[in-house]
Amino acid sequence: MILYWRYLIPALLLALSGLAAWFLPSALVVLAPLSLIALWDFIQTHHTLRRNYPLMARVRWIMEDLRPFFQSYIVQGDLEGRPFSHQERALVYARAKGDLDSHPMGTELDVYSDEYDWLGHSVVPREEAPESWRLDIGGKDCSKPYSSALLNISAMSFGSLSANAIEALNQGAKIGDFAHDTGEGSISRYHRKHGGDLIWELGSGYFGCRRVDGDFDPDQFAEQASDDQVKMVEIKLSQGAKPGHGGVLPGEKVTEEIAEARGVPVGKTVYSPAAHSTFSTPIELMEWIAELRDLSGGKPTGIKLCVGQPHEVMALCRPAPRGHGFGQGDD
Ligand SMILES: Cc1cc2nc3c(=O)[nH]c(=O)nc-3n(C[C@H](O)[C@H](O)[C@H](O)COP(=O)(O)O)c2cc1C
């Protein structure tokens, strides 16, 4: 079968080129380059697929390139697709352009599926539903509690996102009155431009508050965290995408702006260690949380983690109530 393709395509193209040269010379514009490509594939010894299937192997790659588009535009239904369906994307585009975001004549969703959530009618509905739902964060030890929206922007660093993206997200947070998590890349000038509320995330690299050796610097932290735009502090213990690996930011990506935000030298590769250097036990973590809260002038300070081992969560919960300001329990 392979032999068949190997000779067939170049032979066919050469024959067609010969006929075209005789009867229809203008067709040579297409046939001649195709014949040359097929011949080249036939002769070369570098790539097996191209040698066995001259020209046709390339058609396969073209189809592979086009596959996502066929999939998205022709094969997939409006409600399929990950992470966002076509319908969800269309809704975001419509709202961003100020276009109509709903269409009449009923829903296309399967409202009888088990996962479908719905609001039930009542003859005695409650009238005092708040205009906007918010959650007060910060216990008795927080002198600056924060009234948080229920939906906020999750942590994505400047560096993993462009300056324009950071600006757009922060401006969105400002307009919508919700909070923008900085991600572990610290606070850049683009986070500050529009003044949207910030949650400052600290990863194991302590960007924005690190000493030259990479350790945590309380003075730098206090200075930056006391900025009024920073509403809460978040310690990143782990993240789904990087289980226990830490992180590397290659030197060529450390531009002047990224270096400025993170407090690292321009052009030099930066490593985030797999674990934090400020604590090594759950109790030390709780003590550090309390320290950060105090250094920030009393702002709510919490943790983000991706649970790998349930017993680790238990270990974190146990020391919390013991006089570290995280609850009222005995033990
Ligand atoms: C571009 C990008 C950058 C991210 N950077 C961080 C980060 O700096 N710190 C962090 O804790 N999580 C980071 N995340 C993870 C998100 O905060 C979030 O936890 C993750 O995307 C899962 O949420 P999702 O299912 O809504 O996407 C990043 C995610 C993305 C897509």
Side-chain angles (χ1 to χ4, degrees):
M1 191 63 187
I2 290 173
L3 278 178
Y4 172 74
W5 277 107
R6 218 172 113 58
Y7 291 100
L8 183 78
I9 296 288
L12 206 67
L13 279 168
L14 285 174
L16 283 174
S17 303
L19 284 174
W22 195 256
F23 295 110
L24 187 65
S26 57
L28 278 177
V29 177
V30 177
L31 288 172
L34 288 181
S35 308
L36 287 177
I37 295 172
L39 268 181
W40 170 242
D41 286 350
F42 183 80
I43 294 164
Q44 60 83 37
T45 52
H46 180 68
H47 202 288
T48 321
L49 209 60
R50 273 167 43 210
R51 191 165 160 83
N52 287 337
Y53 298 93
L55 200 66
M56 292 310 286
R58 295 172 188 269
V59 175
R60 179 181 165 208
W61 293 327
I62 293 173
M63 295 311 277
E64 289 229 357
D65 282 347
L66 293 177
R67 189 182 139 86
F69 303 102
F70 286 134
Q71 187 87 8
S72 173
Y73 292 116
I74 298 172
V75 179
Q76 257 170 13
D78 282 357
L79 305 177
E80 293 170 328
R82 293 278 181 277
F84 302 107
S85 69
H86 178 77
Q87 198 186 57
E88 286 162 336
R89 275 187 293 135
L91 180 82
V92 172
Y93 296 152
R95 286 184 179 169
K97 285 188 269 181
D99 290 350
L100 197 63
D101 64 356
S102 54
H103 60 97
M105 299 305 289
T107 180
E108 291 166 0
L109 303 176
D110 178 7
V111 295
Y112 294 107
S113 74
D114 286 344
E115 306 89 50
Y116 191 80
D117 289 328
W118 46 279
L119 293 176
H121 292 275
S122 170
V123 287
V124 279
R126 291 182 59 172
E127 280 175 12
E128 68 274 19
E131 247 177 46
S132 78
W133 298 87
R134 296 191 80 87
L135 179 72
D136 290 329
I137 302 180
K140 63 180 174 49
D141 297 307
C142 286
S143 53
K144 292 190 180 144
Y146 179 58
S147 166
S148 169
L150 299 191
L151 289 177
N152 299 287
I153 301 168
S154 73
M156 289 178 285
S157 311
F158 172 51
S160 76
L161 295 184
S162 69
N164 282 352
I166 295 290
E167 267 197 50
L169 290 174
N170 195 262
Q171 195 172 14
K174 178 78 183 170
I175 296 168
D177 198 15
F178 45 87
H180 178 190
D181 193 314
T182 61
E184 59 188 303
S186 194
I187 308 172
S188 69
R189 58 178 90 162
Y190 303 104
H191 285 94
R192 297 190 190 281
K193 198 162 166 188
H194 301 284
D197 289 354
L198 290 178
I199 300 168
W200 182 15
E201 183 180 76
L202 298 189
S204 59
Y206 306 124
F207 296 125
C209 55
R210 59 188 257 137
R211 299 204 172 105
V212 181
D213 60 5
D215 277 351
F216 173 68
D217 181 340
D219 297 332
Q220 281 185 48
F221 173 81
E223 193 185 329
Q224 183 134 241
S226 54
D227 182 339
D228 198 41
Q229 197 186 347
V230 175
K231 300 298 180 192
M232 297 197 282
V233 176
E234 178 186 78
I235 301 165
K236 173 174 150 180
L237 298 180
S238 55
Q239 173 196 341
K242 300 178 196 162
H245 289 159
V248 181
L249 187 65
E252 60 268 26
K253 289 194 175 175
V254 186
T255 62
E256 210 172 293
E257 289 169 334
I258 288 180
E260 172 195 86
R262 297 192 181 210
V264 295
V266 180
K268 208 170 157 209
T269 298
V270 192
Y271 297 93
S272 293
H276 281 261
S277 55
T278 39
F279 60 88
S280 51
T281 65
I283 290 184
E284 283 174 13
L285 167 62
M286 295 304 156
E287 284 167 352
W288 191 48
I289 291 176
E291 184 190 337
L292 292 186
R293 185 190 57 216
D294 295 344
L295 285 170
S296 69
K299 295 180 182 172
T301 302
I303 56 173
K304 168 177 180 172
L305 83 164
C306 182
V307 179
Q309 305 287 340
H311 67 260
E312 290 181 355
V313 182
M314 300 300 289
L316 290 180
C317 296
R318 250 183 102 71
R322 282 204 209 127
H324 294 283
F326 293 91
Q328 305 302 321
D330 307 318
D331 193 7

